[in-house]
């Protein structure tokens, strides 16, 4: 019987590390958000590919993922719109300019962001670290239904 127990333990350990989303494991990892070994980072791709769906309700998300590390309503530029940022306003371009030109471009960037920002209702879940920066799962809602989700810093 001891061998069967060991095999069972190995089975559960292996399955918890395979990257398959598990709601209980996700929720239990919330206490380890500062850890670089947060198991959420191993599950997030499967979660986004196979479990999160647009039009899910906030209640369904809370049931599946638990309480977010942060929930907020804030003005942000939509990630799809952000891809249309002119090269002249990108950080890579701005850092190469003189101090005065940098100041001018930063002012232009602020105007661009103000013109393109929209109010977003978000749940934010910590999923681990990439190099030196924390990485999050963002779930965006409109009328209490999911309209978008993504992984980012």
């Amino acid at each position: 019987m001891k061998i069967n127990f060991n095999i069972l333990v190995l089975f559960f350990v292996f399955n918890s590390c395979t990257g398959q989303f598990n709601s209980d494991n996700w929720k239990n990892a919330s206490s380890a958000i500062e850890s670089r070994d947060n198991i959420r980072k191993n599950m997030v791709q499967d979660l986004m590919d196979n479990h999160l769906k647009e039009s899910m309700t906030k209640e369904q998300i809370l049931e599946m993922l638990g309480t977010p590390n942060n929930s907020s309503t804030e003005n942000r530029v939509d990630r799809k719109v952000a891809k249309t940022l002119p090269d002249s306003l990108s950080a890579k371009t701005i850092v190469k300019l003189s101090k005065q030109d940098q100041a001018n471009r930063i002012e232009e960037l602020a105007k661009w962001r103000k013109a393109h920002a929209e109010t977003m209702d978000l749940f934010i879940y910590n999923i681990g670290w990439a190099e030196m920066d924390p990485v999050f799962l963002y779930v965006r809602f409109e009328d209490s239904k999911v309209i978008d989700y993504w992984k980012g810093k």
Side-chain angles (χ1 to χ4, degrees):
M1 189 68 169
K2 187 175 183 175
I3 293 174
N4 291 338
F5 178 74
N6 290 339
I7 291 171
L8 187 62
V9 169
L10 287 173
F11 174 78
F12 284 114
V13 169
F14 176 75
N15 280 337
S16 69
C17 299
T18 60
Q20 293 182 354
F21 173 74
N22 177 291
S23 179
D24 291 331
N25 289 347
W26 179 277
K27 291 175 193 173
N28 290 335
S30 69
S31 63
I33 59 173
E34 294 301 322
S35 168
R36 292 192 179 276
D37 298 322
N38 190 329
I39 62 169
R40 287 180 174 181
K41 68 182 175 187
N42 299 325
M43 294 189 274
V44 72
Q45 195 60 51
D46 182 57
L47 169 65
M48 292 190 316
D49 291 345
N50 300 308
H51 301 276
L52 280 176
K53 305 288 183 224
E54 290 183 9
S55 81
M56 290 178 80
T57 65
K58 279 188 175 184
E59 291 76 23
Q60 290 172 309
I61 297 299
L62 289 169
E63 183 178 326
M64 182 169 53
L65 302 178
T67 304
N69 299 100
N70 188 11
S71 63
S72 66
T73 302
E74 53 191 66
N75 286 328
R76 288 177 162 245
V77 175
D78 183 275
R79 66 190 181 104
K80 295 166 189 158
V81 173
K83 292 179 181 180
T84 67
L85 177 72
D87 287 339
S88 63
L89 299 179
S90 74
K92 289 179 182 178
T93 301
I94 292 174
V95 297
K96 296 176 184 176
L97 301 174
S98 69
K99 296 274 188 214
Q100 182 57 49
D101 287 340
Q102 282 181 1
N104 292 339
R105 290 286 171 85
I106 290 170
E107 188 175 315
E108 288 178 44
L109 176 59
K111 289 177 185 175
W112 186 90
R113 287 180 57 91
K114 186 175 181 179
H116 292 86
E118 54 188 286
T119 302
M120 293 187 187
D121 183 10
L122 299 169
F123 278 0
I124 304 169
Y125 294 89
N126 186 307
I127 59 173
W129 291 80
E131 298 155 6
M132 296 175 60
D133 298 316
V135 180
F136 303 95
L137 170 68
Y138 296 88
V139 182
R140 181 178 176 192
F141 298 92
E142 188 171 282
D143 298 325
S144 295
K145 295 202 178 201
V146 175
I147 62 166
D148 196 11
Y149 48 89
W150 65 94
K151 179 174 66 170
K153 295 179 183 177

